[in-house]
């Protein structure tokens, strides 16, 4: 079965956010390029382990934040 990267979280103000390496909740900056890099790193790691990667998100997130062509491969 595929392993999906679920990316669609926002903070209380509606700005993209997530938990960092120090377990701190923070806003994610960098726009679509940052999300493309995050997804690429995750999906590459999943694929290297022999699984099929995918990306799960809402339609509004897909259209707003995941506009990089890198997402076309998942």
């Amino acid at each position: 079965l595929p392993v999906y990267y679920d990316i669609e979280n926002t903070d209380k103000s509606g700005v993209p956010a997530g938990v960092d390496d120090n377990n701190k909740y923070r806003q994610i900056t960098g726009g679509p390029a940052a999300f493309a890099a995050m997804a690429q790193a995750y999906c590459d790691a999943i694929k290297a382990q022999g699984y099929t990667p995918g990306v799960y998100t809402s339609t509004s997130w897909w259209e707003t934040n995941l506009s990089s062509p890198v997402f076309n491969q998942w």
Side-chain angles (χ1 to χ4, degrees):
L1 295 174
V3 178
Y4 283 83
Y5 184 44
D6 185 354
I7 182 169
E8 58 187 343
N9 196 38
T10 59
D11 67 9
K12 292 177 184 177
S13 66
V15 174
V19 178
D20 67 14
D21 292 340
N22 296 315
N23 206 29
K24 302 278 184 180
Y25 196 72
R26 64 177 181 85
Q27 291 183 351
I28 299 170
T29 59
F35 297 114
M38 291 164 56
Q40 186 72 61
Y42 177 86
C43 290
D44 285 350
I46 294 301
K47 189 172 184 177
Q49 295 300 312
Y51 297 98
T52 301
V55 175
Y56 174 86
T57 192
S58 66
T59 301
S60 64
W61 254 77
W62 188 266
E63 293 171 349
T64 305
N65 297 303
L66 309 183
S67 59
S68 169
V70 75
F71 289 99
N72 295 338
Q73 64 185 311
W74 305 301

